[in-house]
Amino acid sequence: MRSTFYGLNIGLKALQAQQKALDVTSHNIANANTPGYTRQDVIMEASPAFLTEKGYVGAGVDITEIRRLRDEFLDVQIRTESKYLGEWEVRSDILAKLEGIINEPSDSGLRSVMDEYWAAWQQLSTNAASAADRNVVIQSGVDLADLFNQLDSTLSELQADINKGIESRVSEINSIAKQVSALNDQIIKAELGGFKANDLRDRRGLLVEQLSKIISVQVVEDRFGALDITAGGGTLVANNYYAVMKFTDDPADPTRATLQWVDPAGGNVVGDVRVNGGSLQGYIEMRDKTIVRIKNDLSQLAARIAEEVNALHSAGSGLNNTTGTEPGLDFFVKKDENIPFSASNIMVNPQLIDDPNKVAASQSSPVVSGDGSNALAIAQLKSKLTMNPAGPGEYTTTFDDFYRSTVAALGIEAGEAERMLDNQNLLINQLSNKREAISGVFLDEEMVNMIKYQHAYEAAARIINAMDEMLDTIVNRLGLVGR
């Protein structure tokens, strides 16, 4: 036979269930704008019924789970695409900076400065004795060499800045790994009772998503609820263990900076980190490939200009060569004689700056008044095939075309990065919207749930009132025995 208070117990369980559901609804509303938060839902089931002589009688309601509404497949997709987003964000940003450094087309770009240099020689060829035109040639040469130096220096500084960015990302990786390992420990302890630690899982999921944008990660959840994360060819997090990455910069040569795994216990280096995705990959590719390629192109251009101009200039005559014995001078010289000409190792011969009469505008020796043939020959280097050797002494490209191809390659790469970044943003937004449709908090739905649970709570209270009145009838109004 059922207890007299059976109905009261059903009412109490109903009150508790609806109150818990209201609590979860309130929690959802409170976290509607919390990054990484996943909507939670109360799963209710009818309590096991009791068998009576007339059949089974229900025993009310039980809360079996507070479920976190999450699609793990979408999480995997977002992590996979995030590494590409991180990489293209960095590429696009650095390529935009490179375009600003190269600054083409513009009046102050290298192409304009080269044009002014060749034009100065052309002008000198028409009036070889002009002191003003000689000074213009020297100054345009100084401008050209200075611009080569400045471009190389600025590109080197950009490489150094990239290393600072890598160092910052590595610190972020180490911080996230430490936090995830701590959350693993908390989640394992919290879920020992069999219930999901939903909010802790949200915090951990958000951290892993941030991590996947920096470096490619593989994530596996073990049977205790801990995440094992591998990245860069090593184990980053396993249960409550976390590894440490160490970045060592090389100010003398930013491309020789190292990224290594370090044993967190002993501090010993245990191997190199093999980066294969994320913003770290973007930084390293830009630093070691794109910028290096541009620097090499500029150095090759500077070296060939110096070689071609020097070959003609050293064979010509300045105004001082009135006896045929004045030795020819190189127009460009190296800042450091021990290393070849390059964008960073070129300047105008100081002897010419000190005495513009030594500018070899003439081919005759001794100099013949009005002879500007050598200046004309140097000016004509602008349209001579001097770059991209096809064989001994044979070239396929002019200085101008070579530089144009360098600038064009940069523009194409920047355009590709911008398109890929737009595509990745679109893809991530689509995936995020899909996940939001499942895991996001919709206030309208929560308000409806709140009203639903509120009325259910009030109805449960009415059950208790009704049972109370029934007991009052039995206890106080049936006969006088026992009073």
Side-chain angles (χ1 to χ4, degrees):
M1 176 175 287
R2 65 188 280 276
S3 165
T4 306
F5 300 103
Y6 188 69
L8 279 176
N9 287 334
I10 292 177
L12 176 61
K13 291 172 71 174
L15 276 177
Q16 290 173 333
Q18 305 310 322
Q19 189 174 38
K20 181 61 69 179
L22 275 170
D23 290 343
V24 172
T25 301
S26 301
H27 188 56
N28 283 339
I29 293 172
N31 288 283
N33 297 316
T34 301
Y37 179 77
T38 301
R39 181 163 62 98
Q40 298 176 13
D41 194 14
V42 174
I43 307 302
M44 299 183 192
E45 285 185 2
S47 302
F50 288 98
L51 180 60
T52 68
E53 65 274 13
K54 300 297 183 182
Y56 284 97
V57 176
V61 65
D62 289 320
I63 291 179
T64 59
E65 181 185 4
I66 298 176
R67 183 178 298 168
R68 181 169 167 261
L69 301 174
R70 197 84 176 184
D71 186 334
E72 298 296 335
F73 179 63
L74 281 174
D75 288 342
V76 172
Q77 285 185 300
I78 288 176
R79 284 199 296 267
T80 301
E81 298 304 328
S82 289
K83 72 177 180 183
Y84 297 116
L85 177 63
E87 181 176 345
W88 286 113
E89 276 182 347
V90 168
R91 284 176 176 268
S92 180
D93 178 56
I94 294 177
L95 285 166
K97 290 178 181 173
L98 284 172
E99 286 187 309
I101 291 170
I102 297 300
N103 194 26
E104 295 289 358
S106 74
D107 293 339
S108 57
L110 182 60
R111 185 166 169 242
S112 296
V113 174
M114 284 196 298
D115 285 344
E116 290 171 6
Y117 178 68
W118 305 125
W121 280 108
Q122 180 74 36
Q123 179 59 34
L124 181 61
S125 70
T126 63
N127 188 5
S130 169
D133 289 343
R134 286 172 177 274
N135 281 320
V136 171
V137 164
I138 291 171
Q139 186 56 49
S140 61
V142 169
D143 291 344
L144 181 59
D146 285 349
L147 186 53
F148 273 123
N149 297 163
Q150 182 201 342
L151 288 172
D152 187 84
S153 172
T154 306
L155 292 172
S156 296
E157 288 172 1
L158 182 57
Q159 287 177 308
D161 290 343
I162 287 174
N163 276 356
K164 288 185 175 64
I166 293 174
E167 188 172 18
S168 171
R169 293 294 183 275
V170 170
S171 296
E172 199 173 342
I173 289 173
N174 290 335
S175 173
I176 290 175
K178 185 177 181 180
Q179 292 179 66
V180 170
S181 69
L183 285 168
N184 274 345
D185 194 43
Q186 293 176 35
I187 288 170
I188 290 173
K189 291 175 181 174
E191 296 184 352
L192 284 176
F195 299 107
K196 296 292 184 183
N198 293 330
D199 294 335
L200 291 176
R201 283 175 172 268
D202 283 346
R203 287 169 54 192
R204 187 178 65 181
L206 183 61
L207 288 170
V208 173
E209 203 165 295
Q210 292 170 355
L211 182 66
S212 67
K213 199 173 175 182
I214 303 173
I215 190 170
S216 177
V217 296
Q218 292 77 47
V219 181
V220 177
E221 182 173 332
D222 67 18
R223 61 194 177 95
F224 302 108
L227 288 186
D228 292 343
I229 302 175
T230 56
T235 299
L236 183 61
V237 178
N239 205 309
N240 60 358
Y241 163 85
Y242 65 94
V244 174
M245 291 184 187
K246 179 184 179 184
F247 177 75
T248 306
D249 199 358
D250 185 342
D253 183 356
T255 62
R256 291 168 57 187
T258 58
L259 183 57
Q260 298 168 309
W261 291 107
V262 175
D263 178 9
N268 300 321
V269 173
V270 294
D272 292 332
V273 177
R274 297 194 298 273
V275 177
N276 58 355
S279 56
L280 276 185
Q281 177 78 8
Y283 278 125
I284 293 172
E285 292 276 338
M286 287 289 103
R287 183 196 66 189
D288 295 351
K289 293 184 177 178
T290 302
I291 296 178
V292 168
R293 186 191 72 232
I294 295 173
K295 289 183 71 174
N296 287 342
D297 282 354
L298 292 175
S299 288
Q300 190 179 348
L301 181 62
R304 288 294 300 141
I305 288 176
E307 290 167 4
E308 290 290 333
V309 171
N310 286 349
L312 290 173
H313 192 271
S314 60
S317 295
L319 292 179
N320 298 335
N321 186 17
T322 56
T323 61
T325 58
E326 181 79 13
L329 296 173
D330 285 339
F331 188 87
F332 291 109
V333 295
K334 302 169 186 172
K335 290 182 172 181
D336 183 349
E337 283 296 330
N338 298 317
I339 57 177
F341 273 115
S342 67
S344 63
N345 193 34
I346 183 173
M347 65 179 187
V348 172
N349 193 334
Q351 294 186 54
L352 300 178
I353 296 173
D354 292 340
D355 184 2
N357 285 339
K358 292 182 177 179
V359 172
S362 305
Q363 290 181 334
S364 55
S365 180
V367 65
V368 175
S369 178
D371 179 13
S373 56
N374 205 39
L376 181 61
I378 293 175
Q380 290 172 342
L381 288 175
K382 177 183 179 182
S383 54
K384 182 182 176 183
L385 299 180
T386 49
M387 302 296 296
N388 293 339
E394 296 181 9
Y395 298 91
T396 60
T397 309
T398 65
F399 293 128
D400 192 55
D401 287 343
F402 179 83
Y403 180 62
R404 280 171 182 262
S405 68
T406 299
V407 175
L410 174 61
I412 291 170
E413 194 173 354
E416 181 195 14
E418 194 171 342
R419 284 194 302 276
M420 293 301 294
L421 178 58
D422 289 343
N423 291 341
Q424 283 306 122
N425 272 322
L426 182 63
L427 188 55
I428 289 289
N429 285 338
Q430 288 176 344
L431 291 171
S432 298
N433 288 339
K434 282 185 181 178
R435 187 171 66 182
E436 190 69 13
I438 298 170
S439 305
V441 175
F442 298 95
L443 292 178
D444 292 347
E445 184 180 344
E446 298 300 329
M447 293 301 291
V448 169
N449 286 339
M450 191 168 67
I451 293 170
K452 182 175 69 176
Y453 296 136
Q454 181 185 5
H455 284 297
Y457 184 89
E458 291 171 355
R462 292 292 301 166
I463 291 173
I464 293 177
N465 283 339
M467 296 305 299
D468 181 50
E469 289 175 2
M470 289 169 63
L471 288 171
D472 180 65
T473 300
I474 292 172
V475 173
N476 299 318
R477 301 181 186 179
L478 290 182
L480 301 175
V481 178
R483 290 189 176 181

